[in-house]
Amino acid sequence: MAGFAGLVRDVPDFPRPGIVFKDILPLLADGRGFAAAVAAMAQPWRDARVSAVAGVEARGFILGAALARELDVGFVPIRKPGKLPGAVHEVSYDLEYGSDRLQVQQGALAAGERVLLVDDVLATGGTLLAAAHLLGNLRVELLGAAVLVELAALGGRARWRDPSPVLATLVY
């Protein structure tokens, strides 16, 4: 694994007993480690002619904005309901413990734009799939998804049916 992988901390029994949470905050707090992680996430997309990066709330904002800067393109936030002003596009999705919605501002992306989707973790895949569906409704060209951490045992990659790739920088 990459040298910055040691900056991702395991937190046992969070948010509930039996779960080992992958905490990326120590990585974000380390300037060199954060820069190396963003560069590694950007590398596969440098020649993909990305026109915008869309990041999923909340840690996807941090990584997505940094990745957009690295790729010299704009950033579009994908948020939970009630956080964006003006008219929005929305998608609902199911989680293991309920349901949720994601929104993006109308006009934030034009049809045909080449968009890279970014989130911090690929676990069961529900949020990433919902975000991809939302972007698909906008008729953008989804180039793929970049995640910092993939929790392979949770099978989220198997749920990704889009022909575009999901690229994880660190796989556990």
Side-chain angles (χ1 to χ4, degrees):
M1 287 201 175
F4 52 83
L7 296 170
V8 177
R9 177 176 70 124
D10 285 349
V11 180
D13 299 320
F14 182 82
R16 29 184 207 259
I19 294 177
V20 178
F21 182 80
K22 295 294 186 186
D23 183 10
I24 68 166
L25 296 182
L27 171 68
L28 298 178
D30 184 283
R32 285 194 173 119
F34 184 34
V38 170
M41 289 179 76
Q43 187 55 44
W45 307 102
R46 290 198 186 280
D47 296 325
R49 298 185 347 252
V50 175
S51 58
V53 170
V56 181
E57 187 168 335
R59 288 177 299 268
F61 289 179
I62 298 165
L63 294 167
L67 194 52
R69 175 65 189 97
E70 184 80 9
L71 296 173
D72 199 26
V73 298
F75 174 75
V76 175
I78 298 176
R79 302 219 55 188
K80 301 285 174 92
K83 308 273 182 148
L84 293 171
V88 296
H89 298 282
E90 179 176 272
V91 66
S92 297
Y93 65 107
D94 292 324
L95 299 163
E96 319 67 76
Y97 49 85
S99 63
D100 210 341
R101 295 177 293 154
L102 293 174
Q103 299 178 332
V104 65
Q105 277 184 321
Q106 287 185 15
L109 293 165
E113 280 197 69
R114 297 172 57 82
V115 178
L116 174 60
L117 176 59
V118 176
D119 205 357
D120 63 331
V121 175
L122 172 59
T124 62
T127 302
L128 198 66
L129 288 170
H133 183 72
L134 178 60
L135 293 172
N137 289 345
L138 302 178
R139 298 189 332 263
V140 302
E141 183 180 348
L142 180 60
L143 298 174
V147 296
L148 178 62
V149 172
E150 179 180 356
L151 304 175
L154 297 181
R157 180 176 295 278
R159 295 180 64 195
W160 185 263
R161 300 201 198 312
D162 194 284
S164 62
V166 174
L167 301 180
T169 303
L170 301 172
V171 178
Y172 295 95

